[in-house]
């Protein structure tokens, strides 16, 4: 039996990964250090200042990280991360538009995209609509030769929902431990 030292090593430019996470752990905590050299975070769980703190805690440069804040609350941030305006989680078109605009900052062949928790959107929109959004984002990321990490709290979704999101990804990484 072989054990991978870092499952993210399997992610080559353009690879899209469904990462199964525990409910309270940020996938930012598991990304390899090189991800912080050029990273776009679609954040449904943390405001930009908390993302900035995660980046700093991991030794990354916040000037190299961007955030699309997805929140039902206003977001006031004036810091080194590049950010888009906040978008409500039920506005999937708005999420997609901000993601598209932010992708110009993600370097082909080098950058990373992290969608920190797909489950949040499932609370606000139909599974099929969220699936189309994730499919579109993964396609854009793949075409740009950027590594995509789409986090899903596996224990909080039905098997059919899990399978729906896994179908369009290149690889699955289980970050739940065990």
């Amino acid at each position: 039996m072989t054990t991978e030292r870092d499952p993210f090593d399997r992610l080559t430019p353009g690879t899209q990964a469904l990462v199964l996470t525990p409910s309270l752990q940020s996938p930012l905590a598991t990304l390899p250090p090189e991800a912080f050299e050029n990273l776009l975070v679609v954040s449904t769980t943390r405001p930009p200042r908390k993302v900035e703190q995660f980046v700093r805690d991991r030794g990354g440069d916040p000037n190299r990280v961007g955030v699309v804040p997805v929140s039902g609350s206003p977001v006031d941030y004036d810091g080194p991360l590049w950010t888009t305006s906040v978008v409500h989680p039920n506005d999937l078109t708005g999420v997609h538009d901000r993601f598209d605009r932010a992708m110009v900052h993600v370097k082909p062949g080098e950058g990373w995209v992290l969608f920190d928790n797909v489950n949040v959107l499932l609370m606000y929109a139909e599974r099929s609509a969220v699936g189309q959004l994730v499919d579109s984002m993964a396609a854009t990321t793949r075409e740009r030769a950027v590594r995509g990490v789409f986090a899903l709290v596996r224990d909080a979704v039905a098997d059919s929902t899990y399978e729906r999101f896994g179908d369009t990804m290149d690889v699955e990484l289980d970050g739940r431990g065990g």
Side-chain angles (χ1 to χ4, degrees):
M1 182 167 85
T2 61
T3 303
E4 293 179 309
R5 290 185 51 80
D6 184 354
F8 288 101
D9 287 345
R10 288 195 284 167
L11 301 188
T12 56
T15 301
Q16 305 305 296
L18 181 65
V19 177
L20 307 180
T21 61
S23 62
L24 298 176
Q25 180 182 342
S26 171
L28 278 168
T30 61
L31 289 178
E34 62 268 16
F36 296 97
E37 294 172 16
N38 184 233
L39 173 66
L40 171 61
V41 180
V42 178
S43 184
T44 60
T45 60
R46 287 170 177 74
R49 69 181 160 64
K50 294 266 190 193
V51 172
E52 178 187 342
Q53 190 57 54
F54 255 103
V55 171
R56 288 185 189 283
D57 290 349
R58 293 291 313 277
D61 178 355
N63 291 296
R64 296 173 173 255
V65 178
V67 177
V68 174
V70 182
S71 176
S73 304
V75 171
D76 185 30
Y77 176 76
D78 184 23
L81 299 173
W82 40 274
T83 64
T84 68
S85 58
V86 67
V87 60
H88 196 277
N90 69 357
D91 181 4
L92 300 185
T93 301
V95 172
H96 190 271
D97 289 347
R98 283 165 183 79
F99 165 77
D100 270 351
R101 278 186 264 149
M103 280 299 288
V104 302
H105 298 285
V106 183
K107 297 175 187 166
E110 296 177 28
W112 291 68
V113 167
L114 169 66
F115 194 122
D116 75 349
N117 192 324
V118 173
N119 299 64
V120 171
L121 296 186
L122 292 168
M123 293 187 285
Y124 291 91
E126 291 295 320
R127 182 181 80 174
S128 61
V130 175
Q132 289 173 342
L133 173 68
V134 169
D135 290 351
S136 177
M137 291 171 70
T140 298
T141 305
R142 186 179 285 117
E143 289 165 13
R144 197 163 168 86
V146 169
R147 292 164 181 89
V149 175
F150 295 83
L152 182 74
V153 180
R154 172 63 181 102
D155 301 333
V157 296
D159 290 347
S160 59
T161 300
Y162 157 68
E163 290 163 5
R164 163 63 182 91
F165 290 105
D167 285 347
T168 59
M169 298 293 152
D170 301 313
V171 66
E172 177 183 293
L173 304 176
D174 194 336
R176 297 175 292 176

